[in-house]
Amino acid sequence: MPTVLVLNGPNLNLLGLREPELYGSDTLADIEARCHVVAAHHGIEVDFRQTNHEGELIEAVHAARTGADAVVINAAGYTHTSVALRDALATLDIPVVEVHLTNIHRREPYRHRSFVAEVADALICGAGAHGYPLALTHVSHLLAKGAAS
Ligand code: CA2
């Protein structure tokens, strides 16, 4: 079964506990549970992780080079700052889908720039927690297409 690494960056462990008007009331555990349901539907396995540390995100991306078939990533604040994370993602030759709960283009100008987007195959933002199942559905489409070609 293909494995999809779903990586979450800093502060996303606080989802549902603060700022629900901005980020929704689902917790990260709720989102993870939803991801497992959608993944089972598509015949894929999800390895769901969250870290507050840039280096750990980068190491997880390195591990995905041999240990995953695709990556879904919400790099949170590091989206807008981390050239190092972007460089790590650029080494992957598996599908990468970027997810944000909020529409980063409707927010502060410093959130409009995404280093991750430069190396992602697709970007889903502004769909709230639903963005994760959407990303997994798209990944399963990309994997099926890849397997067929
Ligand atoms: O919209 C998104 O998913 C973001 O990646 C969320 C990041 C933000 O820095 C990005 O610009 C867009 C922030 C994650 C912080 O999550 C919190 C959750 C609850 C309470 C406080 C922060």
Side-chain angles (χ1 to χ4, degrees), residues 10-19 23 74-80 99-104 107 111 132:
N11 301 309
L12 287 166
N13 53 311
L14 299 178
L15 273 184
L17 308 178
R18 290 182 53 100
E19 300 190 66
Y23 295 116
N74 182 350
Y78 288 133
T79 303
H80 319 293
V99 174
H100 297 286
L101 298 156
T102 57
N103 179 352
I104 55 175
R107 300 185 61 191
R111 295 186 203 273
Y132 286 75

Side-chain angles (χ1 to χ4, degrees), residues 41-126:
H41 176 78
H42 290 298
I44 58 185
E45 198 161 315
V46 157
D47 177 6
F48 194 95
R49 305 205 209 156
Q50 188 273 332
T51 173
N52 293 319
H53 304 281
E54 186 176 14
E56 281 180 13
L57 280 174
I58 292 166
E59 277 168 10
V61 171
H62 290 176
R65 287 167 50 76
T66 51
D69 298 284
V71 173
V72 170
I73 181 162
N74 182 350
Y78 288 133
T79 303
H80 319 293
T81 63
S82 182
V83 174
L85 179 61
R86 178 236 175 263
D87 290 347
L89 289 165
T91 70
L92 297 176
D93 30 51
I94 54 176
V96 175
V97 177
E98 178 179 10
V99 174
H100 297 286
L101 298 156
T102 57
N103 179 352
I104 55 175
H105 300 289
R106 248 202 207 171
R107 300 185 61 191
E108 302 92 332
Y110 60 83
R111 295 186 203 273
H112 297 179
R113 169 96 197 249
S114 167
F115 287 104
V116 173
E118 292 174 17
V119 292
D121 296 292
L123 162 60
I124 296 167
C125 74

